[in-house]
């Protein structure tokens, strides 16, 4: 009996680190840290038999294309979820709504194309960190994310990572529903300008990363937005292709005089023109720049963004028209027998009408009608005894058949009263 107890305790010690009886197939479970780890096992969906004690879920390197409302329904104690590099394309409504203790969500390195407006909605706003770096697949996914941030109730979010998503611009007011946000990472994108209202509502921001984008200068609204952030946030602006011409004067002056904390101000250098290449922006002045013009001239960023939006609208319009055309052709195909019958009936009706016109034309052009169309004119004479005979003669002329040939008798010929007719 003593030996049996020892064997049971020994088996429990061996299985405790991995919870071998409860761990999903292909995963590792660590009871000490309450962690389940599934890495590169070619999973098609999130395992449903994850232990209920789990607080940390790490699932990476799989082919999980969809996250639904039922995915984490039984994991009410989870605080950290890492779903990076899984080729996820869709996040459905209320995918994490049951995770009332969720603090950190990492969905980086995916292919998000469809994000439901309520995908990030969690009662109580427990989420503090959201990592979506290198995850947004196209412009549509950015629009979906903007709506999800607005409707997600993420008032307690502290950190948002959107780096590496090839973003061209940020919709004004995109972060207005994140009043507690402290760290915003927008590096390694294609941002060319910042517009009025882009950072509206970020009253507690401590770090703003705008490095490795496509900024050539900060002017007007962009400088106003950076200035409105105040002294609190640390702003990173290095590794951008700054063009040191007249357009950058305001930005260079702002760097020297602004009270904003540009954490990498010494690393801001000119990328062009070549005579100013690698020169620090803080060392530039109006006399140094000399308003050097570039060739070709810079195009307004707003015009570029407007053209991009217009092109996107044309693409969507083309897709809609193409879909309508396909539906129309499909309806025609389904009704091809009825359409054929209608065409045949229409053709026969037109043929009958044309035959009627042709017959009428032949009658109107018959040369025999020329003689009948002429009125038989009889000179008026005073009433005589032969008037009745003349009237009777006219009456008989009117009653002649259409194939009767009339022969005109010369006026100086003596004939008996009456009319002469020759039947052909």
């Amino acid at each position: 009996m003593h030996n049996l107890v020892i064997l049971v305790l020994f088996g429990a010690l061996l299985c405790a680190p991995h919870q071998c009886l409860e761990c999903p197939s292909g995963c590792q479970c660590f009871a000490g840290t309450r962690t389940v780890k599934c890495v590169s096992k070619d999973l098609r969906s999130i395992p449903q038999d994850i232990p209920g004690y789990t607080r940390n879920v790490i699932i990476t390197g799989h082919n999980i294309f969809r996250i639904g409302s039922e995915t984490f329904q039984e994991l009410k104690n989870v605080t950290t979820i890492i779903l990076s590099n899984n080729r996820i394309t869709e996040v459905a409504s209320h995918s994490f709504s049951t995770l009332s203790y969720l603090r950190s969500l990492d969905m980086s390195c995916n292919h998000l194309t469809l994000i439901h407006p309520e995908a990030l909605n969690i009662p109580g706003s427990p989420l503090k960190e959201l990592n979506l770096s290198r995850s947004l697949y196209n412009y549509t996914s950015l629009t979906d994310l903007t709506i999800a941030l607005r409707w997600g109730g993420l008032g307690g979010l502290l950190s948002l990572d959107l780096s590496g998503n090839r973003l061209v611009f940020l919709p004004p007011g995109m972060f207005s529903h994140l009043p507690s946000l402290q760290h915003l990472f927008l590096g390694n994108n294609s941002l060319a300008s910042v517009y009025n209202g882009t950072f509206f509502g970020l009253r507690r921001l401590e770090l703003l990363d705008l490095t490795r984008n496509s900024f050539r200068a900060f002017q007007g609204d962009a400088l106003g937005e950076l200035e409105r952030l105040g002294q609190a946030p640390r702003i990173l602006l290095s590794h951008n292709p700054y063009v040191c011409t007249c357009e950058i004067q305001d930005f260079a002056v702002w760097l020297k005089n602004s009270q904003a904390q540009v954490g990498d101000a010494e690393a801001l250098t000119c990328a062009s023109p070549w005579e100013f290449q690698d020169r620090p922006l803080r060392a530039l002045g109006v006399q140094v720049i000399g308003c050097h013009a570039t060739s070709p001239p810079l195009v307004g960023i707003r015009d570029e963004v407007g053209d991009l939006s217009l092109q996107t609208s044309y693409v969507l319009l083309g897709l809609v028209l193409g879909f309508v055309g396909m539906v129309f052709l499909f309806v025609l195909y389904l009704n091809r027998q009825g359409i054929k019958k209608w065409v045949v009936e229409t053709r026969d009706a037109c043929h009958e009408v044309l035959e009627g016109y042709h017959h009428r034309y032949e009658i109107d052009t018959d040369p025999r009608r020329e003689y009948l169309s002429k009125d038989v004119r009889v000179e008026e004479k005073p009433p005589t005894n032969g008037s009745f005979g003349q009237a009777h003669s006219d009456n008989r002329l009117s009653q002649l058949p259409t194939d009767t040939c009339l022969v005109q008798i010369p006026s100086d010929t003596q004939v008996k009263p009456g009319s002469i007719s020759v039947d052909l």
Side-chain angles (χ1 to χ4, degrees), residues 97-122:
S97 60
T98 60
L99 307 179
S100 57
Y101 296 102
L102 184 63
R103 297 292 183 270
S104 176
L105 176 60
D106 184 352
M107 298 184 65
S108 60
C109 301
N110 283 290
H111 300 147
L112 298 178
T113 58
L114 179 59
I115 305 175
H116 193 275
E118 295 183 344
L120 303 175
N121 193 344
I122 305 176

Side-chain angles (χ1 to χ4, degrees), residues 310-326:
L310 186 61
Q311 293 174 6
T312 304
S313 301
Y314 285 149
V315 171
L316 294 177
L317 179 61
L319 292 176
V320 172
L321 293 178
F323 177 75
V324 172
M326 291 179 62

Side-chain angles (χ1 to χ4, degrees), residues 30-251:
F30 305 92
T33 59
R34 299 185 181 184
T35 300
V36 174
K37 185 177 181 181
C38 311
V39 180
S40 301
K41 298 298 182 180
D42 198 24
L43 299 178
R44 300 293 177 175
S45 62
I46 302 296
Q48 295 298 308
D49 52 349
I50 297 177
Y53 66 80
T54 304
R55 289 192 177 182
N56 305 305
V57 177
I58 304 174
I59 302 177
T60 63
H62 303 284
N63 292 312
I64 303 171
F65 300 105
R66 183 179 183 274
I67 302 297
S69 58
E70 73 286 349
T71 303
F72 300 103
Q73 193 169 9
E74 303 299 330
L75 303 178
K76 302 184 182 301
N77 297 317
V78 170
T79 60
T80 302
I81 295 180
I82 299 177
L83 299 174
S84 61
N85 196 25
N86 283 308
R87 299 183 180 179
I88 299 173
T89 60
E90 178 185 357
V91 183
S93 174
H94 297 94
S95 294
F96 311 98
S97 60
T98 60
L99 307 179
S100 57
Y101 296 102
L102 184 63
R103 297 292 183 270
S104 176
L105 176 60
D106 184 352
M107 298 184 65
S108 60
C109 301
N110 283 290
H111 300 147
L112 298 178
T113 58
L114 179 59
I115 305 175
H116 193 275
E118 295 183 344
L120 303 175
N121 193 344
I122 305 176
S125 303
L127 194 63
K128 303 301 179 183
E129 298 179 4
L130 178 59
N131 186 355
L132 295 175
S133 62
R134 292 175 290 175
S135 289
L136 304 182
Y137 189 72
N138 50 28
Y139 174 76
T140 305
S141 56
L142 174 63
T143 304
D144 291 348
L145 176 62
T146 303
I147 300 175
L149 292 178
R150 182 176 302 174
W151 290 10
L154 301 176
L157 191 67
L158 301 179
S159 177
L160 176 60
D161 191 347
L162 296 177
S163 60
N165 283 305
R166 303 186 300 274
L167 301 178
V168 177
F169 74 103
L170 300 172
M174 178 178 179
F175 312 107
S176 59
H177 294 268
L178 307 175
S180 301
L181 194 65
Q182 297 178 358
H183 299 158
L184 179 57
F185 300 94
L186 298 171
N188 198 23
N189 283 293
S190 299
L191 298 174
S193 186
V194 175
Y195 303 109
N196 188 25
T198 299
F199 302 122
F200 176 78
L202 300 180
R203 296 184 294 271
R204 300 182 181 179
L205 195 64
E206 296 179 0
L207 175 63
L208 175 60
D209 184 3
L210 294 174
T211 60
R212 302 185 185 279
N213 278 279
S214 299
F215 295 108
R216 294 185 288 188
F218 286 89
Q219 308 176 45
D221 293 343
L223 287 178
E225 282 296 299
L226 297 180
E227 191 66 32
R228 275 190 288 271
L229 291 175
Q231 305 178 18
R234 182 169 178 261
I235 305 174
L236 304 179
L237 301 173
S238 62
H239 298 93
N240 282 291
Y242 296 113
V243 179
C244 295
T245 60
C246 294
E247 288 79 6
I248 208 170
Q249 292 180 17
D250 294 340
F251 181 44

Side-chain angles (χ1 to χ4, degrees), residues 328-340:
F328 179 72
L329 293 177
F330 182 69
V331 172
L332 290 181
Y333 176 75
L334 294 178
N335 296 274
R336 60 189 183 280
Q337 297 296 337
I339 295 174
K340 181 179 180 180

Side-chain angles (χ1 to χ4, degrees), residues 216 240-245 248 269-279 281 284 289 292-295 298:
R216 294 185 288 188
N240 282 291
Y242 296 113
V243 179
C244 295
T245 60
I248 208 170
T269 58
C270 300
S272 62
W274 64 269
E275 57 264 34
F276 297 117
Q277 194 170 10
D278 296 329
R279 180 172 296 189
L281 293 183
L284 296 179
I289 297 176
H292 186 90
T294 60
S295 180
L298 296 177

